[in-house]
Amino acid sequence: MPDRERTALVIGAGIGGLAAAIGLRRAGWSVSVLERAPVIAEVGAGLTLWPNAVKALGALGLDVTDRSVPTISRGNILTPRGRWVRRNHPGDVGVLAIHRADLHDVLRKALPESALHTDAEVTAVSVDGSVTCADEELRADLVVAADGVNSLVRRTLWSGEAVFQHRTVWRGVTAPGSVWPVQESLTMGRGVQFGVLPLPGERVYWFLTANEPRANTSYGDERAEVLRRVGDWHEPIPALVAATPEDQVLHNDMLDIDPVPTFVKDHVVLLGDAAHAMTPDLGQGACQALEDAVVLAANADDLPRYDRERRARVHPMLTAARASVTRNSDTNPLRHAALLVAARLLPPATWRKATAQWSNWTAPTLP
Ligand SMILES: Cc1cc2nc3c(=O)[nH]c(=O)nc-3n(C[C@H](O)[C@H](O)[C@H](O)COP(=O)(O)OP(=O)(O)OC[C@H]3O[C@@H](n4cnc5c(N)ncnc54)[C@H](O)[C@@H]3O)c2cc1C
């Protein structure tokens, strides 16, 4: 055992950063989280948590059962006119739907306030563990860069800007009870998908993904833009969009990063989207950030192992997510028809295996 408490600075209080802080504290580290925003909160919309994420949360001593609902993520498929292509059964793959703000709240409450620092923008990091934050020089045994897809740490100590995948996504959550009950579903148009996930509290998370030639395109009234695209699709799609407050419709480009050759440089590690941002097509980005946090906490004294294990796990996902982008953005009518036929004919066991392939994971035990 070391004769003094080891110190870690975590940059970013997103899902990855908070989870890393919880894990490292459990492993006996003294942790400070530096977040540039004035408050530690997550807006966002919904999120699917696959069984691997549930195991990671369990390893951190957390349970989100009463803040989430089981969902058949992407198991129910329809056409824009409302014709069923495929129907699955609840509990088929053990996925949970949760509001991001609820997951964030659970993580945040597992940390003491004294560990969390807001208005704390990091402007420089060096591999020896020194960090410049709000004109102060800090130093730690370990620096965890959980600063998201546009990570300053990755861009300065490694290299690699985020990559725009020529796809864009709108998201929203309906006002409680406004459109209820609804069934989870994915409606597949050509190059356009609309997802519906019921959340606790009679709220519904929806998303629309579409092709977009230019990065950072803004439509002003984003809800009107969504309705322009899917207003004539089957119900409850138009009703869900209409039941979402206009100023709460989020619009983001889909970004990812090219695989990073190592997640560790001396005293600095990359974690979450900073290390392996992927498009949301697999629904695994936050799940992998949670896995990172647990594996880091279990191997904080053996960073090369964290690096090996995590790269081996996530790099195939980056490739698979990009293949999904290619498939989901395809507007060719024949290939689209073939995709729907394949979705219709795939036996349930094969479907389960395909959709659950990334969620097979065993969590290491933390103290
Ligand atoms: C549309 C969409 C849908 C998704 N759906 C799913 C899903 O269903 N399931 C799933 O598992 N994943 C999903 N994801 C992916 C998931 O949202 C991300 O992988 C996850 O939120 C990444 O968390 P993070 O903590 O690594 O990064 P972030 O959430 O980006 O957090 C980074 C934090 O760092 C802070 N920060 C940045 N720079 C600095 C700095 N210099 N100094 C201090 N603080 C800084 C930021 O303010 C922020 O709080 C989805 C993503 C999108 C875009």
Side-chain angles (χ1 to χ4, degrees):
M1 283 290 280
D3 49 11
R4 66 170 180 87
E5 198 174 33
R6 290 155 308 165
T7 55
L9 288 170
V10 176
I11 307 171
I15 291 165
L18 294 181
I22 297 165
L24 287 168
R25 277 172 52 83
R26 284 181 78 100
W29 289 64
S30 167
V31 184
S32 296
V33 180
L34 308 172
E35 168 57 51
R36 68 179 170 193
V39 282
I40 294 188
E42 171 80 52
V43 273
L47 203 62
T48 48
L49 290 177
W50 291 76
N52 52 317
V54 176
K55 284 184 204 162
L57 287 166
L60 297 173
L62 304 172
D63 180 7
V64 292
T65 323
D66 50 357
R67 311 281 294 257
S68 59
V69 285
T71 184
I72 323 162
S73 185
R74 289 173 269 193
N76 287 341
I77 297 181
L78 296 106
T79 65
R81 289 188 172 178
R83 195 165 57 84
W84 283 100
V85 175
R86 171 176 200 95
R87 290 182 100 146
N88 275 22
H89 300 289
D92 263 5
V93 278
V95 183
L96 300 178
I98 189 166
H99 197 296
R100 274 170 189 268
D102 287 334
L103 174 59
H104 203 262
D105 185 55
V106 168
L107 293 166
R108 190 205 152 125
K109 284 190 174 138
L111 289 166
E113 283 295 319
S114 57
L116 302 171
H117 305 274
T118 51
D119 283 318
E121 175 152 20
V122 169
T123 48
V125 173
S126 134
V127 291
D128 66 1
S130 52
V131 167
T132 311
C133 177
D135 295 332
E136 238 186 289
E137 291 300 317
L138 309 169
R139 180 176 282 277
D141 299 311
L142 176 66
V143 176
V144 181
D147 50 346
V149 57
N150 292 308
S151 168
L152 168 97
V153 180
R154 189 190 66 245
R155 284 183 290 114
T156 51
L157 291 186
W158 278 254
S159 65
E161 296 290 330
V163 182
F164 173 49
Q165 287 297 334
H166 298 98
R167 297 277 287 162
T168 198
V169 54
W170 288 266
R171 292 173 284 167
V173 176
T174 57
S178 53
V179 184
W180 194 263
V182 297
Q183 226 186 333
E184 56 266 75
S185 59
L186 182 71
T187 300
M188 291 177 63
R190 285 194 278 131
V192 189
Q193 294 82 31
F194 193 98
V196 175
L197 273 105
L199 295 175
E202 299 193 349
R203 296 167 299 173
V204 183
Y205 163 48
W206 59 262
F207 63 85
L208 170 68
T209 55
N211 295 338
E212 179 63 72
R214 287 175 312 278
N216 301 317
T217 303
S218 161
Y219 293 90
D221 183 342
E222 300 291 348
R223 187 178 65 173
E225 179 60 20
V226 174
L227 285 170
R228 190 186 69 74
R229 291 170 185 246
V230 295
D232 61 350
W233 285 25
H234 68 82
E235 286 297 351
I237 290 174
L240 291 170
V241 179
T244 307
E246 186 189 314
D247 60 348
Q248 286 172 33
V249 174
L250 304 171
H251 179 208
N252 306 94
D253 286 339
M254 279 196 199
L255 305 174
D256 67 3
I257 60 169
D258 291 327
V260 175
T262 171
F263 290 169
V264 177
K265 282 199 177 176
D266 293 350
H267 292 259
V268 182
V269 302
L270 297 175
L271 182 141
D273 276 10
H276 47 66
M278 57 186 89
T279 60
D281 299 79
L282 307 181
Q284 277 286 345
C287 302
Q288 291 309 309
L290 292 168
E291 283 191 20
D292 288 348
V294 175
V295 175
L296 177 63
N299 298 290
D301 295 315
D302 184 1
L303 295 180
R305 183 166 174 184
Y306 165 78
D307 186 24
R308 269 194 319 275
E309 280 193 19
R310 295 312 299 155
R311 279 187 297 112
R313 173 92 170 126
V314 297
H315 281 170
M317 288 187 211
L318 294 182
T319 309
R322 282 190 175 173
S324 297
V325 168
T326 306
R327 222 172 18 250
N328 289 336
S329 59
D330 194 346
T331 56
N332 177 286
L334 285 179
R335 282 194 295 269
H336 180 67
L339 192 66
L340 294 188
V341 170
R344 184 191 296 280
L345 297 180
L346 215 58
T350 317
W351 180 274
R352 266 198 304 279
K353 203 170 158 203
T355 50
Q357 64 174 315
W358 303 114
S359 56
N360 291 327
W361 179 71
T362 306
T365 309
L366 298 185

